[in-house]
Amino acid sequence: MSVGTTTGSERLRNDMVDRLAADHAAKGLTLRPEVEAAMRTVPRELYTPGKPLEEAYKNTAVVTKRRGEESVSSVSAPFLIAEMLGQAADALEGLEGRHVLEIGSGGYNASLLRELVGPSGSVTTVDIDAEVTDRATACLAAAGYNDVTVVCADAEQPIEPGRRYDLIIVTAGAWDIPPAWRDQLTDDGVLVVPLRTHGMTRSWALRRSGDRLDSESHRQCGFVPVQGAGAHGMQYVDIADGVHLRLDEGQQVDADAMGGLLTQPRQEAWAGVSLPPRTVLSDLDLWLAIRLIREVEQFVVLTAQEAAIKAGTVAPSWQFGTPATIHDGTFAYRSELSWTGRMFDLGAYAHGPAASAAAGRMVEHMRAWVDAGCPPPVLHVLPAHTPDGDLPDGAVLDKRHSRLVLAFTPTHEKGTH
């Protein structure tokens, strides 16, 4: 199905996939053989025209369209594509013969899906931007994938009324899940979607069961946001040079007051735990979100540029998105890790009149997560009209179209201290 490639392209492509397999193994994951084979087959450089060959095979996203400074379309990073395709294949026990709808076009992912579904399956890819779909059509044709259906439309609405798909995979960051995505799935179909909850994005593999969706796996990720009727912009508030707060659920913040807090002495608290490098701290971040929201005035996400971290303005756990709280005129956030040999401890930093209490509060929730066995989150998605009494147990986050329920099931009673 694909055209011949140059020796240089083949070498770079195989090197890329070798690195992906090693990275998966380091995370305790397995790169599914059929996903590996597809990624060794499809020439990625045909979907990044005008870019150097070496850039096409870096393990990073390649931006293909900007609006001012904003990226509005890209070819996703290979590691993320591999993980999301793996989520889909795991949930459906393979993609051979499946009928797939991709929301968010670039061409490369659609061609990988076409390899995975085989001759008896089908792939439809949709994007709201005609420039993007025209480009995807041209790239797919250049690579020999003429049997992928490309549609220009807003995927907030059904693409082909009455048609259903075994898999819908979304390659743009969503804030909500519109009914059309659920309704276009087969009765036990799977939706793989990068969904923002409390300003943090996870790729969720969600299986349909009637009018609800239940998660089977998740991965931390980041994508350019959904456009059209489903768009929901995040607000960024600058509180110091190179330091920002990400607001995603209607919060309001006094930027001047927050900036003043960072000039006050820093207090810290530590959980006193000893955790291995493979601990999935993105799971902890969602645990903190759903628990701290009940206790504080504001739960936000802290982001920081490298220069601000080097200057000591802040020292977050992750510069691209760290849980933070505002309460009693005090700002607290999950801190950088404290390493002893190959193990690490969890901590919190806080500034303001109640700094010690704020850091201590956050650390108590960290200890609780470790004591519960560092459990992963489970997500349930139900229609917006679902009564409270019909919701499963968990923390509820109401969106426009849906009610999200996040829950954690403890895996054991005591962690490692």
Side-chain angles (χ1 to χ4, degrees):
M1 295 172 64
S2 62
V3 299
T5 54
T6 66
T7 301
S9 171
E10 291 175 350
R11 176 179 55 80
L12 289 170
R13 188 158 63 252
N14 285 321
D15 287 348
M16 177 189 76
V17 179
D18 290 344
R19 292 193 301 271
L20 289 177
D23 289 345
H24 271 60
K27 295 177 183 177
L29 305 173
T30 300
L31 183 60
R32 288 184 65 106
E34 68 269 38
V35 174
E36 177 178 343
M39 298 190 81
R40 292 189 189 278
T41 299
V42 177
R44 192 169 188 254
E45 74 274 12
L46 295 182
Y47 300 91
T48 60
K51 306 290 186 182
L53 184 62
E54 292 76 11
E55 185 174 344
Y57 290 103
K58 289 181 179 178
N59 199 12
T60 56
V62 178
V63 176
T64 54
K65 183 176 180 179
R66 294 185 185 273
R67 185 179 296 121
E69 295 297 317
E70 180 187 10
S71 299
V72 295
S73 183
S74 66
V75 179
S76 300
F79 80 90
L80 188 49
I81 290 174
E83 290 190 9
M84 291 179 69
L85 291 176
Q87 284 183 278
D90 287 346
L92 290 167
E93 298 182 349
L95 297 182
E96 180 76 26
R98 301 293 187 174
H99 300 287
V100 180
L101 173 63
E102 180 195 35
I103 296 174
S105 295
Y108 178 60
N109 197 58
S111 60
L112 292 171
L113 285 164
R114 195 67 194 88
E115 290 284 344
L116 291 167
V117 301
S120 60
S122 68
V123 176
T124 299
T125 182
V126 59
D127 200 282
I128 194 172
D129 189 330
E131 183 179 334
V132 171
T133 53
D134 286 350
R135 181 181 170 281
T137 298
C139 291
L140 285 161
Y145 294 93
N146 297 301
D147 52 357
V148 171
T149 301
V150 182
V151 178
C152 182
D154 187 341
E156 186 86 354
Q157 304 301 324
I159 302 307
E160 295 182 50
R163 183 176 180 184
R164 297 205 291 174
Y165 302 88
D166 303 297
L167 169 67
I168 298 177
I169 185 165
V170 183
T171 59
W175 182 78
D176 195 3
I177 296 179
W181 296 1
R182 178 197 65 229
D183 295 345
Q184 288 176 106
L185 286 172
T186 56
D187 291 341
D188 62 347
V190 171
L191 169 67
V192 178
V193 55
L195 181 65
R196 297 202 317 264
T197 52
H198 305 296
M200 298 176 287
T201 303
R202 304 289 181 269
S203 171
W204 296 92
L206 302 160
R207 183 177 299 279
R208 182 179 181 180
S209 176
D211 65 354
R212 64 185 273 174
L213 300 164
D214 302 297
S215 68
E216 300 206 346
S217 67
H218 72 284
R219 302 280 189 273
Q220 186 174 24
C221 66
F223 277 89
V224 297
V226 162
Q227 302 177 53
H232 182 95
M234 284 185 289
Q235 180 186 1
Y236 286 87
V237 176
D238 297 337
I239 62 172
D241 189 19
V243 182
H244 326 281
L245 298 183
R246 183 190 301 159
L247 313 179
D248 199 35
E249 306 293 345
Q251 306 99 317
Q252 297 294 322
V253 168
D254 184 334
D256 292 337
M258 291 301 305
L261 286 177
L262 288 178
T263 66
Q264 297 186 27
R266 186 178 78 190
Q267 301 294 324
E268 59 187 67
W270 295 93
V273 298
S274 185
L275 297 172
R278 280 191 181 179
T279 305
V280 184
L281 294 178
S282 59
D283 293 351
L284 169 61
D285 291 344
L286 281 178
W287 173 281
L288 291 174
I290 67 175
R291 280 156 178 78
L292 288 167
I293 274 173
R294 306 167 186 165
E295 302 177 1
V296 300
E297 296 164 16
Q298 298 271 23
F299 178 89
V300 296
V301 175
L302 169 67
T303 66
Q305 296 176 11
E306 190 67 35
I309 296 173
K310 288 182 177 178
T313 308
V314 289
S317 56
W318 188 44
Q319 73 175 103
F320 300 112
T322 292
T325 62
I326 304 167
H327 189 68
D328 288 341
T330 298
F331 179 59
Y333 60 92
R334 189 161 77 80
S335 73
E336 59 190 344
L337 304 176
S338 175
W339 287 87
T340 302
R342 295 182 57 82
M343 308 293 277
F344 65 85
D345 193 6
L346 301 166
Y349 293 154
H351 303 261
S356 293
R361 179 193 300 114
M362 189 172 285
V363 161
E364 286 176 7
H365 288 294
M366 295 177 190
R367 289 195 193 101
W369 180 68
V370 174
D371 287 345
C374 304
V378 175
L379 176 67
H380 308 283
V381 183
L382 296 97
H385 56 74
T386 306
D388 289 351
D390 292 340
L391 296 175
D393 292 338
V396 180
L397 178 59
D398 287 316
K399 304 279 188 170
R400 178 187 173 194
H401 297 297
S402 53
R403 307 195 75 182
L404 311 183
V405 182
L406 277 164
F408 289 81
T409 302
T411 57
H412 57 72
E413 291 303 317
K414 282 291 180 182
T416 303
H417 287 254

